[in-house]
Amino acid sequence: PRFFAELNLGLILTAFAIVAFKTPNHFAFGGTSGVSVILSTLFPTLPVGVFMWIINAVLVILGFIFLERKAILWSVFASFALSAYVSLFELFIPTDVSMTGDMWLDLCFAVILPALGSAIVFDIGASTGGTDILAMILKRRTTLEIGRALLLVDIGIAAFLYGPRVGLYCVLGLFAKTLVVDKAIESIHLRKVCTIICSEPLKVEEFIVKHLNRTATISRGYGAFSGKCVTVIMSVLSRREAVQLRRYAREVDPGAFITIVDSSEIVGKGFRGTN
């Protein structure tokens, strides 16, 4: 249920951004949605949602022909679910006028919302479907980067149809989306790796286990300058827990040596699964 809920949350955020911010401004960057925005301009009788249904249906058929069914199961669901959410939002949100009246503000949300949605979906091991299916097919048979190729084509056509201003906004949105997706994925599971060397290691260990409900790895070492034997405590914690541990360690030993570094890839019991 949690996997299904997170997948749909990511798709809903992406669909809302397509209808509310991408379509009114003709922002053509981002796989099937970018192609659909362009086709909707060329054939104004049909909305973006209809073209997404058509394109995704063709991609799903190709996926079933060239890929194993198990490999594209969630991509097929995501493709049709995203198309359905786009069509649903089009019933309630006007797509011919900007929601904010500010193209720059629309661009920000056209980048942030799909990037956040993609980060949520990618983090659980799924995808938003669409061109991901085509990428999976080509990955098995060629070395072509279909995602990058489509994005470049989208931006080129957008600049031709809507003028250089929109084209440059699309270029800016493309780079911004790449950065935001990477940062969003990292921040979702960002943890603090804390290493402590102090004169009261037993108290610190007890605090970690009993108060923070975490564990730690204990190792022995010695100071290169002093030559004294020391106890090194290493524990992986959340931001809030790291702050609490730092404060406690400084209370019991004002001279404690503490290092805290960020890590977004923690795999193991209590964190991300190993399967």
Side-chain angles (χ1 to χ4, degrees):
R2 180 177 178 181
F3 176 92
F4 188 76
E6 291 185 6
L7 176 60
N8 279 275
L9 175 61
L11 296 176
I12 289 172
L13 289 175
T14 303
F16 178 76
I18 291 172
V19 176
F21 303 110
K22 279 189 174 183
T23 303
N25 296 283
H26 309 298
F27 291 149
F29 58 89
T32 56
S33 64
V35 177
S36 299
V37 168
I38 294 173
L39 291 176
S40 181
T41 301
L42 297 176
F43 304 96
T45 55
L46 296 177
V48 172
V50 172
F51 286 110
M52 289 191 66
W53 277 105
I54 296 172
I55 295 173
N56 284 325
V58 172
L59 292 176
V60 166
I61 293 173
L62 291 175
F64 277 115
I65 294 175
F66 294 103
L67 297 172
E68 298 178 359
R69 293 188 178 184
K70 183 179 180 180
I72 64 168
L73 178 62
W74 285 112
S75 294
V76 170
F77 170 81
S79 297
F80 288 128
L82 181 60
S83 301
Y85 286 135
V86 169
S87 297
L88 180 63
F89 281 126
E90 285 177 338
L91 297 177
F92 303 98
I93 301 175
T95 58
D96 54 344
V97 294
S98 170
M99 178 176 289
T100 65
D102 186 334
M103 183 176 285
W104 172 250
L105 189 59
D106 284 352
L107 177 66
C108 291
F109 283 96
V111 169
I112 293 173
L113 292 181
L116 181 59
S118 297
I120 294 173
V121 172
F122 293 158
D123 182 68
I124 60 176
S127 73
T128 54
T131 52
D132 288 343
I133 297 176
L134 191 56
M136 291 166 67
I137 296 174
L138 293 177
K139 184 178 181 181
R140 296 184 63 177
R141 301 176 181 274
T142 69
T143 58
L144 178 63
E145 290 284 350
I146 183 63
R148 295 180 182 178
L150 282 178
L151 286 172
L152 293 176
V153 172
D154 287 350
I155 292 173
I157 296 176
F160 177 78
L161 289 177
Y162 313 124
R165 182 167 180 256
V166 174
L168 290 175
Y169 267 112
C170 290
V171 172
L172 183 61
L174 171 61
F175 287 108
K177 182 181 178 182
T178 302
L179 294 175
V180 173
V181 168
D182 290 341
K183 291 299 181 182
I185 292 176
E186 288 182 2
S187 64
I188 288 176
H189 287 285
L190 186 65
R191 293 294 183 267
K192 301 289 186 178
V193 181
C194 305
T195 303
I196 299 175
I197 301 173
C198 67
S199 60
E200 299 288 347
L202 293 178
K203 291 183 178 180
V204 174
E205 293 174 33
E206 184 179 8
F207 181 81
I208 293 173
V209 175
K210 294 186 177 181
H211 293 271
L212 299 181
N213 293 318
R214 291 291 186 180
T215 187
T217 299
I218 311 300
S219 58
R220 308 299 176 186
Y222 69 93
F225 181 77
S226 65
K228 294 180 179 180
C229 293
V230 295
T231 300
V232 182
I233 304 170
M234 191 277 288
S235 183
V236 180
L237 307 169
S238 66
R239 293 185 183 94
R240 181 180 58 83
E241 292 167 343
V243 171
Q244 293 178 7
L245 178 61
R246 184 188 64 192
R247 290 175 179 172
Y248 181 79
R250 296 289 290 179
E251 287 177 4
V252 298
D253 181 8
F257 184 80
I258 305 171
T259 60
I260 301 177
V261 297
D262 293 335
S263 178
S264 58
E265 288 294 330
I266 306 295
V267 179
K269 186 177 181 180
F271 296 94
R272 303 183 70 174
T274 56
N275 293 331

